[in-house]
Amino acid sequence: MSAASKRTPTAAHVDPDPSKGWFRRLLPVIRARRATFIVVLVTGLSGLALQVSVPMVLRRAVDVAVDQRAGGLEGNVLLLVVMAAASFGLRFAYRYLLFGTACRIETDLRSQIYDHLTRLSFSFYDRVAGGEVISRANSDIRSIQLLLAFGPLAGLSAISFLMAFGFMLSIHVPLALVTVSTMPFVYVLGQRLRDQVFPLSWVTQGRMAEVAMVVDENINGTRVVKSFAAESDQIALLSMVADRLRWSATALVEARARFNPLIEALPRLGMALVLLYGGHLVIDGEIGVGSLLAFSAYVTMISVPFRMFGFVLLQAQRAAASALRIYEILDEKPAIVDRPGARPLSAPRGRVEFRNVTFRYPGDA
């Protein structure tokens, strides 16, 4: 008889090929939700198109009001109200669907890990502490879920940057180039942040698992600890692993504190350059007041990808480290497997018989 009992299968499984990258192994789970992701993409792009078009409508309304100084605003105001309402509905829809899908993928991963843990032999639990398993099945999967929720948002923000940059080029090319002049520096800082964050994220995730392991073992083994009067030793052990976690977590925060403020401040420097150069262009009559107002709105709009860049980059490094830790469990092979052609266990009678069964410890003759 097969040792596997009836289980509710998950929607998809992680690719079992360990030679592939962590995200490629995750793709089958994501593809299982591709219909929802397509709806998210359509609604997200539609909402972005409306959002990016708003400064152009505002530009036309202001230029008409300044030049004609009479009427012509009612139609533009009504159009802006309709665009704002439609943009709100579309953005709400794609955020709601995106976050819900990310949570469902998180559920799929937890179900697959649980299903796999029930198949592993007792020798696995002799080698791996319970706290380690709990940490990987909770905080590590949550790191992947956060990336799947905010990663597409960052991608849509990058598309909005390209769309806004195209509109800015159509208004005034030199001013558009001044607006994005800080972008190369953001890229360099982002690369340096990534190089420091990834190893620290891996170490921090491991040390969080150490703390969870010590706490779990002491809670479940309280009677054993008290029986051997080992309270002080266990408190000292918890203090040691907590200090180790504090060091790595502090180093991670320091790395973010060094780079994230610069990454977020550079777009604001671009805003100052736009106001300086654009103001002279308005005074000289090369562009209108509405065009400068549109540029100011676009600078605020393209700063969103820069603000999200640091967070998503950090979350991507954490998700990569977490995925590798999860795959270590999923790649574990059971010591005892069903023989080929074993029949599934169905409608058991509740009676078990042992025939020709022996017992020995590993390594014994």
Side-chain angles (χ1 to χ4, degrees):
M1 288 289 185
S2 170
S5 59
K6 291 184 178 180
R7 300 180 179 90
T8 301
T10 57
H13 290 81
V14 171
D15 193 319
D17 186 0
S19 64
K20 296 181 179 180
W22 74 269
F23 191 76
R24 289 184 61 192
R25 296 188 65 181
L26 191 64
L27 280 178
V29 183
I30 298 176
R31 289 196 193 102
R33 308 286 179 179
R34 59 181 174 271
T36 307
F37 276 115
I38 291 174
V39 176
V40 168
L41 180 62
V42 172
T43 54
L45 290 177
S46 301
L48 282 179
L50 288 174
Q51 180 184 4
V52 174
S53 301
V54 167
M56 298 299 288
V57 177
L58 188 62
R59 170 201 176 197
R60 184 180 62 184
V62 172
D63 286 341
V64 168
V66 171
D67 295 338
Q68 300 180 0
R69 297 183 182 278
L73 290 178
E74 292 80 2
N76 290 314
V77 170
L78 180 60
L79 179 59
L80 287 173
V81 171
V82 173
M83 293 176 66
S87 178
F88 168 78
L90 291 170
R91 288 166 65 85
F92 172 81
Y94 86 75
R95 283 176 178 266
Y96 178 81
L97 292 173
L98 178 61
F99 281 43
T101 303
C103 290
R104 291 184 181 92
I105 291 176
E106 178 184 7
T107 301
D108 292 341
L109 289 174
R110 282 207 175 98
S111 298
Q112 183 178 351
I113 286 183
Y114 175 79
D115 183 75
H116 189 69
L117 288 173
T118 59
R119 299 174 184 270
L120 294 179
S121 306
F122 288 110
S123 58
F124 170 79
Y125 298 98
D126 291 336
R127 291 183 288 106
V128 180
E132 185 79 16
V133 175
I134 293 173
S135 175
R136 300 189 187 198
N138 286 278
S139 59
D140 286 338
I141 291 181
R142 178 53 59 89
S143 296
I144 296 177
Q145 184 263 340
L146 288 175
L147 178 64
L148 294 177
F150 288 96
L153 287 179
L156 291 174
S157 297
I159 295 175
S160 71
F161 166 78
L162 296 176
M163 297 171 65
F165 185 59
F167 279 122
M168 287 188 291
L169 288 175
S170 67
I171 298 174
H172 196 274
V173 174
L175 186 58
L177 296 178
V178 169
T179 305
V180 299
S181 60
T182 58
M183 183 176 178
F185 301 100
V186 174
Y187 174 78
V188 172
L189 292 173
Q191 292 296 316
R192 295 187 62 182
L193 174 64
R194 184 195 65 181
D195 294 339
Q196 293 191 22
V197 161
F198 179 76
L200 289 173
S201 297
W202 177 270
V203 172
T204 301
Q205 292 294 104
R207 292 184 178 178
M208 287 175 63
E210 289 182 357
V211 173
M213 175 188 66
V214 173
V215 173
D216 177 72
E217 291 182 347
N218 276 274
I219 291 177
N220 292 323
T222 300
R223 295 181 179 179
V224 177
V225 173
K226 290 184 176 180
S227 299
F228 288 91
E231 292 93 337
S232 343
D233 295 336
Q234 291 302 311
I235 292 174
L237 176 62
L238 178 60
S239 176
M240 182 187 69
V241 296
D243 285 339
R244 286 162 52 85
L245 173 60
R246 181 180 62 181
W247 179 88
S248 61
T250 302
L252 185 60
V253 171
E254 288 177 352
R256 294 179 61 186
R258 282 196 299 270
F259 293 101
N260 276 351
L262 291 175
I263 291 175
E264 294 189 8
L266 285 174
R268 293 175 174 81
L269 177 60
M271 170 69 86
L273 295 176
V274 166
L275 293 177
L276 177 63
Y277 182 44
H280 284 288
L281 293 177
V282 172
I283 294 173
D284 295 338
E286 295 189 30
I287 62 174
V289 177
S291 297
L292 181 59
L293 183 62
F295 260 93
S296 301
Y298 281 131
V299 170
T300 304
M301 190 178 301
I302 67 175
S303 66
V304 174
F306 290 110
R307 289 199 299 268
M308 294 188 65
F309 182 75
F311 170 76
V312 173
L313 186 64
L314 173 64
Q315 196 58 47
Q317 303 304 315
R318 293 188 63 181
S322 297
L324 296 178
R325 286 164 48 82
I326 292 171
Y327 296 158
E328 287 179 357
I329 293 180
L330 295 178
D331 293 339
E332 183 76 22
K333 302 298 183 184
I336 302 175
V337 296
D338 297 331
R339 67 182 180 184
R343 293 177 296 173
L345 182 63
S346 59
R349 299 179 181 177
R351 184 179 64 201
V352 179
E353 295 181 5
F354 294 94
R355 299 176 182 176
N356 300 322
V357 177
T358 59
F359 172 82
R360 66 180 177 86
Y361 287 101
D364 292 349

